[in-house]
Amino acid sequence: MEVVILAAGQGKRMRSVLPKVLQLLAGRPLLAHVLASARMLGARRICVVHGHGGEAVRSRLDAPGLVWVEQNPQLGTGHAVLQAVPHLSADARVLVLFGDVPLIGASTLARLRDAAGQDRLALLTVEIDDPTGYGRILRDGAGRVTRIVEEKDATPGECRVHEINTGILVAPAARLRDWLQRIGNDNAQGEYYLTDIVGLAASDGVEIVTVAPDDVSETLGVNSKAQLAALERIFQASVARGLLDAGVTLVDPARLDVRGELVCGRDVRIDVNCVFEGRVELGDGVIVGANCVLRDVRIGSGTRVAPFSHLDGTVTGEACVLGPFARTRPGTVLANGVHIGNFVEIKNSVIDDDSRANHLSYIGDADIGVRVNIGAGTITCNYDGADKYRTEIGDDAFIGSDTQLVAPVRVGRGATLGAGTTLTRDAPPDQLTVSRARQQSHAGWVRPTKKGG
Ligand code: UD1
Ligand code: CA
């Protein structure tokens, strides 16, 4: 099968400089969702008909097997498909999709394809309570489809039909080409309607079959930000249902956003208002507290992420505790039993088993051994304004509070750094290293008082 995706519309009602099909649903462009469904069917070739902003769309989503066809000017859906026809094999079956109907599912499309067989015209249609704005499916006394009428061209009687055209169809390529060359634009909108091929198919004696989608939401289009927001919630609700079915505890399925892939082990518990981006893996028994954002992370079994943590490009081992208010950035690798507390930022650092940084620290470009204790307010000074340098801290080291480690610098195994130390040279193992002015007390000193007044 070959696929044509119509994506030339400007989407003025989105009021955005971004082409409509690049607007994000669950973190991915609308068109990416449609392409994913088309690919799941094993489509041989996919033609995307673009217009406004075509280059931006192409550079964002180009991939092998995609053919980009420009439609300029835009003279209607029939004219749009006609632009793709020269790129289609004459013996192919052609599936027409809309770039702004993102929830269309592969299983619905597979049924439509199977209903079409080799030589039928298959239409995806649906009965809806309020058919306003859609093309209506017209049938004869025997129930056979005779044509589609657009609402603007419909008689009041035709407007009362509740079976509507979703726009999605499958047709044999050679027939499609012939019909598209025969349609005109003598209608209320002066456009070449794709829907007019249905009347031609009927009069040519081609069998026309209709298929209903698995779920009506699959056929919803995005024309406005309000519709985009509504589809986002439908999408997220279905993700949440999938997680619940897989045994994940979601404290409130309506307050979860997955913008990528979330893979969970057994007995995972996710509190409210968490956002998952990219690929996130949560091991068995992981707990994610309220209001966390996790992007491209792998969390080991039994680890607890406390509320308001922001984890990015991070891997953790088992039984770690992060947050509340932890921030980990790309390149963070935590082994087992590591504790990262509140207002601790970690970047591009490896922290080994059972080490702790419980309060208010910045750890960047560091390699930290096992059982290291990092005191409150510790900072790795990893950047001299031009280059970044690493800090190494050996096993069992104790870093006193308010310490600055001016990299490149090494702290030996078992070393202790006194609070307030600014470490500019390596600290030897097993010794106390302190750098700070000696404390003095002045007996008999008198506090100044305000003069005059
Ligand atoms: C179309 C159908 C209508 C159906 C409805 C479902 C026709 C004539 N009408 O109407 O029966 O009920 O969709 O939503 O097909 N596009 C192009 N080039 C063009 C015109 C449109 O690429 O010249 C693309 C748009 O970007 C959009 C899709 O085709 O993705 C549908 O176009 P739109 O103008 O929204 O069609 P409707 O009038 O809603
Ligand atoms: Ca539309």
Side-chain angles (χ1 to χ4, degrees), residues 321-341:
V321 180
L322 291 90
F325 298 100
R327 169 148 193 237
T328 63
R329 293 167 50 202
T332 297
V333 178
L334 310 179
N336 300 323
V338 173
H339 288 199
I340 301 301

Side-chain angles (χ1 to χ4, degrees), residues 142-373:
R144 285 184 298 250
V145 174
T146 53
R147 65 190 176 96
I148 295 176
V149 64
E150 290 306 298
E151 181 167 271
K152 289 192 173 118
D153 302 289
T155 63
E158 289 166 341
C159 279
R160 281 196 289 275
V161 172
H162 285 254
E163 187 187 6
I164 61 100
N165 172 38
T166 66
I168 293 169
L169 57 82
V170 175
R175 289 282 197 180
L176 184 63
R177 174 197 305 243
D178 171 54
W179 293 327
L180 288 172
Q181 283 165 347
R182 283 157 61 194
I183 62 176
N185 64 350
D186 182 15
N187 52 51
Q189 302 182 78
E191 287 183 5
Y192 293 89
Y193 290 163
L194 174 62
T195 44
D196 281 354
I197 69 167
V198 177
L200 294 174
S203 55
D204 284 356
V206 170
E207 194 184 341
I208 302 168
V209 291
T210 58
V211 165
D214 292 353
D215 193 294
V216 179
S217 67
E218 290 182 47
T219 66
L220 297 176
V222 174
N223 297 303
S224 64
K225 289 288 171 77
Q227 287 171 336
L228 182 62
L231 262 62
E232 179 78 33
R233 291 339 300 166
I234 292 171
F235 183 94
Q236 295 299 344
S238 90
V239 171
R241 213 173 308 120
L243 291 167
L244 292 168
D245 289 347
V248 176
T249 300
L250 300 175
V251 172
D252 182 357
R255 283 182 287 168
L256 168 82
D257 286 87
V258 179
R259 301 176 191 150
E261 202 185 347
L262 174 59
V263 182
C264 295
R266 282 183 178 275
D267 295 309
V268 166
R269 179 190 163 88
I270 300 172
D271 210 333
V272 300
N273 295 332
C274 290
V275 179
F276 298 91
E277 298 178 335
R279 184 179 164 86
V280 174
E281 284 177 46
L282 305 179
D284 294 348
V286 166
I287 295 174
V288 181
N291 301 300
C292 289
V293 178
L294 277 65
R295 181 197 299 141
D296 295 322
V297 305
R298 211 164 72 222
I299 307 288
S301 305
T303 288
R304 183 159 58 86
V305 181
F308 296 98
S309 293
H310 188 289
L311 314 183
D312 186 5
T314 293
V315 177
T316 88
E318 300 181 2
C320 295
V321 180
L322 291 90
F325 298 100
R327 169 148 193 237
T328 63
R329 293 167 50 202
T332 297
V333 178
L334 310 179
N336 300 323
V338 173
H339 288 199
I340 301 301
N342 41 221
F343 307 106
V344 174
E345 175 180 348
I346 303 182
K347 182 213 81 169
N348 195 27
S349 294
V350 179
I351 303 183
D352 214 336
D353 291 349
D354 302 313
S355 288
R356 289 162 189 217
N358 275 331
H359 333 265
L360 298 153
S361 288
Y362 172 62
I363 297 170
D365 303 304
D367 297 288
I368 298 177
V370 301
R371 295 178 302 273
V372 170
N373 187 61

Side-chain angles (χ1 to χ4, degrees), residues 5-11 13 20-21 49-51 71 73-80 97-101 133-136 148-150 152 164-167 189 191-196 219 221 223:
I5 302 178
L6 302 190
Q10 297 198 15
R13 278 185 284 159
K20 177 160 76 173
V21 293
V49 180
H50 65 83
Q71 184 201 17
Q74 288 149 33
L75 303 178
T77 49
H79 177 256
L97 297 173
F98 289 178
D100 56 359
V101 180
Y134 290 99
R136 309 297 207 282
I148 295 176
V149 64
E150 290 306 298
K152 289 192 173 118
I164 61 100
N165 172 38
T166 66
Q189 302 182 78
E191 287 183 5
Y192 293 89
Y193 290 163
L194 174 62
T195 44
D196 281 354
T219 66
N223 297 303

Side-chain angles (χ1 to χ4, degrees), residues 25-26 28 50 67 105 130 144 164 223 246 296 322 351 370 382 394 398 417 425 428 430:
L25 179 90
R28 290 158 74 212
H50 65 83
V67 180
D130 178 11
R144 285 184 298 250
I164 61 100
N223 297 303
D296 295 322
L322 291 90
I351 303 183
V370 301
N382 59 329
F398 182 97
L417 301 190
R425 284 173 285 129
D430 300 316

